[in-house]
């Protein structure tokens, strides 16, 4: 008997009584007018930075002030108009080892916890939002939902090959519980929320 | 690296050693209670907290009752996604499978993010014996790895270490300045040290927080980003999970991700919740499903609830015994109350002392996000271990006495009175370290002159 059969047989024999899967439970949500302020509060409490801007061009202008040379910035959103666009899909993320800034689209935001969904559809290689020193996310305000339940209701049932909720800069508190921003991933997470998109 | 020989076998004895360093013990106690308080604040911000817990518990009950079907469904979908699925009946088979994959690729060095399952299987030791260099990349895990110790907590692996000790370890191994102990400085040193490892490792091992039957994908949660740095830069990704980590649908993640980080550290969500469904182009993705005693625990009607655990650590942070005894006292990969109900399933003889490392105060049960009746299970393990003959004689006697006391209200009242009288007249007796192991290293509280019951009856009469 293979281990697979052995495990499945023993599970079959020993499993407790099944109960139905809870379905269609309604959880309280964050109401529409509260979503933006709630999102801003969550993201900033996690150590992130939030700017609310009217359009893509403003993001480009602000990036220019923050990072004076465009070659420091890998920009995946043409409308932002600042930084260098990745030419092709990047086969080896290793070449990004010294990347300073990445500008990436967030396709969904969650008000209750400040999480932003980023998937392979928006990045040329999976490691991009982790390996850069500063992560810049761009999120239309209309894409902010109240809770995680609403987020999963919107995400496609056939998931992208890889996707991640990002809620701030990377962090650790492993040494004596003192919070340090910038563990292995970005030291800064900055989200630009587009008001009019 | 698991140094069995430095771990004392009996929890109470090990706790005694831990408590000798009073300053550390006090710090440990306070640090964990602080996290418990952060958890409380976070849960109060969710109006549906209790509904979430109940729902999570029911989802897990549904999972355990259909586990064979969900496992098959998950396997089928994962295979379709291009993930290679392996089944391991026990720790040895798990380690063998992982080693085979490593050797097939001729790999010598790998990075690993946090996985309590691989701790349970002692994978690091096994790989080292086979000439493979394993680098733990979670900061806390790297610290204990350099110290040649196992993690002392499932979420906070080096919570037992002071920053000066981390500084000394980093000075020796990473070349940081002697005497430097600033957490920001040490974290930056680890970042640079581990970044080099990420960039030069062809294989990454990660744990799994949730595996979704319906979609054949899995979710890994970290704050540091180490699981992603490892997995995305490696040619081969191996994810290892216990069979109980399955959930039916992606929408169930809404429930679990809302509960997990709030219960663990008081954060509303971990910084990264990564959803892996298909390998990247040119990459190989493996998933190892491990039983290692879980299917046996599933059949223990008093204990199968323990398989609902999502490893948040809340029961550990709140436990008054854990906080004042340290994780290593539990001599099992998973410490604290949850470890104490999982460990006897693996080895009753070796772990017979663990269900006794509890005051049965029930705080663990109160905080558990999936509503495991942890303290009841600890109590029940004591009975089972007693019946099976694994309980030390002294514990057996007091258990019997306790049992008959609780069963007899009159006797209980008398015992209460005489207990108080005895403690007032002979406080040295209750504090006698030979007779009462829990009196060691601490003074018993002064006994009240009047029990609550006496007080209540007196006051009730006045008001009647
Ligand atoms: S038993 Fe409950 S509280 Fe303890 S780690 Fe598991 S899920 Fe968390």
């Amino acid at each position: 008997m293979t281990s697979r059969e052995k495990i499945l047989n023993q599970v079959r024999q020993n499993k407790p009584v099944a109960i139905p899967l809870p379905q269609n439970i309604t959880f309280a949500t964050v109401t529409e007018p509260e979503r933006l302020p709630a999102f801003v509060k969550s993201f900033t409490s996690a150590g992130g930075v939030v700017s609310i801007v009217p359009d893509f061009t403003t993001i480009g202008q602000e990036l220019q002030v923050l990072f004076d040379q465009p070659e420091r910035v890998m920009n995946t959103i043409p409308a932002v108009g600042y930084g260098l666009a990745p030419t092709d899909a990047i086969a080896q993320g290793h070449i990004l080892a010294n990347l300073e800034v990445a500008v990436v689209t967030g396709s969904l935001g969650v008000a209750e916890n400040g999480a932003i969904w980023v998937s392979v559809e928006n990045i040329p290689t999976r490691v991009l939002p982790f390996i850069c020193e500063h992560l810049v996310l761009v999120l239309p305000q209309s894409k902010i939902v109240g809770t995680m339940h609403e987020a999963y209701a919107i995400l496609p049932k056939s998931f992208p090959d890889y996707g991640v909720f990002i809620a701030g800069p990377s962090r650790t508190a492993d040494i004596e519980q003192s919070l340090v921003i910038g563990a292995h991933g970005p030291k800064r997470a900055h989200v630009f929320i587009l008001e009019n998109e | 690296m698991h140094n069995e020989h430095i771990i004392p076998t009996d929890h109470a004895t090990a706790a005694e050693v831990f408590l000798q360093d009073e300053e550390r013990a006090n710090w440990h106690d306070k640090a964990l209670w602080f996290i418990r308080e952060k958890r409380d604040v976070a849960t109060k911000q969710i109006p549906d907290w209790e509904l979430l817990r109940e729902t999570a518990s029911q989802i897990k009950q549904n999972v355990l009752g259909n586990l064979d079907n969900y496992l098959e469904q998950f396997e089928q979908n994962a295979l379709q996604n291009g993930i290679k699925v392996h089944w391991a009946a026990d720790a040895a088979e798990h380690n063998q499978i992982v080693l085979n994959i490593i050797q097939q690729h001729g790999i010598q060095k790998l990075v690993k993010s946090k996985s309590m399952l691989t701790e349970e299987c002692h994978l690091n030791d096994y790989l080292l014996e086979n000439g493979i260099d394993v680098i733990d990349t979670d900061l806390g895990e790297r610290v204990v790895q350099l110290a040649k110790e196992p993690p002392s907590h499932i979420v906070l692996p080096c919570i037992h270490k002071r920053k000066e000790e981390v500084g000394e370890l980093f000075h020796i191994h990473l070349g940081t300045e002697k005497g430097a102990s600033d957490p920001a400085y040490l974290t930056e040193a680890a970042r640079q040290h581990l970044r080099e490892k990420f960039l030069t490792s062809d294989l990454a091992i990660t744990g799994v927080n949730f595996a979704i039957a319906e979609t054949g994908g899995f979710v890994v949660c970290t704050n540091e980003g180490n699981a992603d740095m490892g997995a995305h830069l490696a040619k081969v990704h191996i994810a290892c999970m216990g069979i109980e980590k399955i959930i039916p649908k992606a929408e169930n993640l809404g429930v679990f991700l809302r509960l997990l980080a709030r219960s663990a550290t008081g954060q509303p969500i971990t910084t990264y919740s990564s959803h892996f469904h298909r390998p990247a182009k040119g990459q190989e993705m493996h998933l190892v499903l491990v039983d290692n005693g879980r299917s046996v625990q599933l059949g223990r009607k008093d204990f199968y609830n323990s398989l609902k655990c999502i490893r948040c650590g809340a029961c550990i942070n709140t436990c008054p015994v854990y906080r004042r005894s340290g994780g290593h006292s539990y001599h099992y990969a998973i410490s604290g109350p949850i470890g104490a109900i999982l460990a006897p399933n693996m080895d009753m003889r070796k772990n017979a002392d663990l269900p006794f490392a509890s005051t049965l105060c029930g705080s663990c049960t109160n905080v558990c996000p999936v509503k495991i009746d942890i303290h009841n299970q600890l109590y029940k393990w004591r009975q089972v271990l007693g019946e099976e003959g694994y309980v030390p004689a002294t514990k057996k006697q007091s258990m019997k006495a306790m049992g008959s006391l609780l069963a007899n209200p009159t006797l209980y009242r008398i015992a209460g009175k005489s207990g108080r009288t005895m403690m007032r007249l002979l406080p040295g007796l209750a504090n006698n370290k030979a007779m009462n192991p829990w009196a060691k290293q601490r003074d018993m509280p002064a006994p009240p002159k009047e029990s609550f019951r006496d007080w209540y009856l007196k006051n009730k009469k006045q008001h009647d």
Side-chain angles (χ1 to χ4, degrees), chain A residues 65-84:
Chain A
V65 177
L66 286 168
F67 313 103
D68 54 0
Q69 294 143 6
E71 53 285 5
R72 294 163 63 189
V73 180
M74 174 175 283
N75 175 22
T76 64
I77 311 170
V80 166
Y82 187 75
L84 303 178

Side-chain angles (χ1 to χ4, degrees), chain A residues 71 87 188 191:
Chain A
E71 53 285 5
T87 39
R188 179 187 168 99
V191 56

Side-chain angles (χ1 to χ4, degrees), chain B residues 8-127:
Chain B
T9 42
D10 173 70
H11 177 273
T13 316
E16 202 176 320
V17 176
F18 179 82
L19 288 170
Q20 270 160 14
D21 186 345
E22 199 180 326
E23 207 253 306
R24 181 198 304 270
N26 287 339
W27 182 86
H28 187 264
D29 181 25
K30 282 206 192 82
L32 287 153
W33 186 252
F34 178 62
I35 302 164
R36 153 78 212 250
E37 286 178 324
K38 284 201 290 190
R39 171 250 170 227
D40 290 347
V41 172
T43 62
K44 300 259 151 55
Q45 279 158 6
I46 299 280
D48 287 330
W49 187 253
E50 289 308 316
L51 179 62
L52 275 171
R53 288 177 74 211
E54 183 54 37
T55 309
S57 190
Q58 286 184 23
I59 295 170
K60 286 285 186 179
Q61 181 72 34
N62 170 275
V63 168
L64 297 177
N66 296 294
L67 189 56
D68 48 341
N69 304 328
Y70 285 137
L71 281 166
E72 285 176 317
Q73 188 192 1
F74 174 75
E75 179 192 39
Q76 195 188 348
N77 289 325
L79 288 172
Q80 240 159 48
N81 287 342
I83 301 173
K84 296 181 198 300
V85 180
H86 309 261
W87 299 74
D90 53 24
E93 193 177 9
H94 162 265
N95 293 349
Q96 183 70 56
I97 290 168
V98 172
L99 181 65
N100 281 351
I101 301 169
I102 297 168
Q103 286 177 339
Q104 273 162 24
H105 290 85
I107 284 164
Q108 305 291 316
K109 184 180 87 179
L110 60 91
V111 285
K112 181 165 141 288
S113 70
K114 191 146 49 184
S115 150
M116 287 319 296
L117 177 76
T118 61
E119 290 295 333
E120 174 189 319
C121 297
H122 301 306
L123 176 70
N124 283 16
D125 286 345
Y126 176 79
L127 293 180

Side-chain angles (χ1 to χ4, degrees), chain A residues 3-4 6-8 10-12 14-29 41-42 91-94 96-99 112-115 117 125-127 129-133 135 147-149 152-153 155 157-178 180 182-187, chain B residues 27 35 46-48 51-52 55 58-59 61-62 64-68 71-72 75 87-89 93 137-140 156-159 162-163 166 183-184 186-188 191 194-195 198-199 215 223-224 226 228-229 232-233 243 248-250 253-255 257-258 262 267-280 291 295-296 298-299 304:
Chain A
S3 289
R4 180 184 182 278
K6 215 166 100 191
I7 295 167
L8 286 172
Q10 185 135 318
V11 166
R12 216 162 275 139
N14 285 351
K15 65 182 180 181
V17 199
I19 62 162
L21 184 64
Q23 309 254 26
N24 306 320
I25 296 170
T26 328
F27 295 96
T29 183
K41 187 164 168 260
S42 309
Q92 290 264 317
H94 300 73
L96 304 173
N98 296 314
L99 178 67
E112 67 157 320
N113 57 21
W117 179 254
T125 184
R126 295 182 186 192
V127 83
F130 300 93
I131 203 167
C132 56
E133 193 114 341
L135 176 63
T147 64
M148 291 301 281
H149 309 293
Y152 281 106
L155 288 177
K157 276 262 176 283
S158 68
F159 270 74
D161 295 356
Y162 170 78
V164 55
F165 280 110
I166 300 178
S170 80
R171 60 192 262 165
T172 180
D174 274 348
I175 302 174
E176 280 203 4
Q177 281 305 293
S178 62
V180 180
H184 299 300
K187 295 178 174 173
Chain B
W27 182 86
I35 302 164
I46 299 280
D48 287 330
L51 179 62
L52 275 171
T55 309
Q58 286 184 23
I59 295 170
Q61 181 72 34
N62 170 275
L64 297 177
N66 296 294
L67 189 56
D68 48 341
L71 281 166
E72 285 176 317
E75 179 192 39
W87 299 74
E93 193 177 9
T137 58
D138 172 87
L139 177 58
L156 321 159
C158 70
I159 188 70
R162 303 308 305 267
K163 59 179 194 278
V166 178
L186 296 175
T187 301
E188 177 62 29
R191 176 186 169 98
L194 290 166
R195 184 150 287 220
F198 287 127
L199 288 165
T215 67
N223 278 324
E224 297 183 6
N226 57 318
D228 288 277
M229 281 294 281
H232 302 325
L233 289 172
I243 52 173
K249 293 164 180 245
L253 287 168
V255 173
L257 292 185
R258 294 186 81 191
R262 286 184 174 97
Q267 292 169 257
I269 188 166
T270 50
T271 308
Y272 304 108
S273 311
S274 305
H275 299 51
F276 293 88
H277 273 83
R278 283 155 217 100
D291 182 345
S295 61
V296 175
L298 194 64
Y304 75 78

Side-chain angles (χ1 to χ4, degrees), chain B residues 154 308-316 338 364 367-370 372 374:
Chain B
I154 58 176
K308 295 178 179 174
C309 176
I310 57 171
R311 303 284 190 268
C312 72
C315 59
I316 303 176
I338 178 65
C364 45
V367 297
C368 178
V370 287
I372 300 171
I374 307 169

Side-chain angles (χ1 to χ4, degrees), chain B residues 126-144:
Chain B
Y126 176 79
L127 293 180
L128 269 172
E129 281 160 25
N130 285 280
I132 310 290
D133 191 8
V134 186
I135 294 124
D136 278 319
T137 58
D138 172 87
L139 177 58
E141 286 216 314
R142 187 64 181 147
V143 169
V144 291

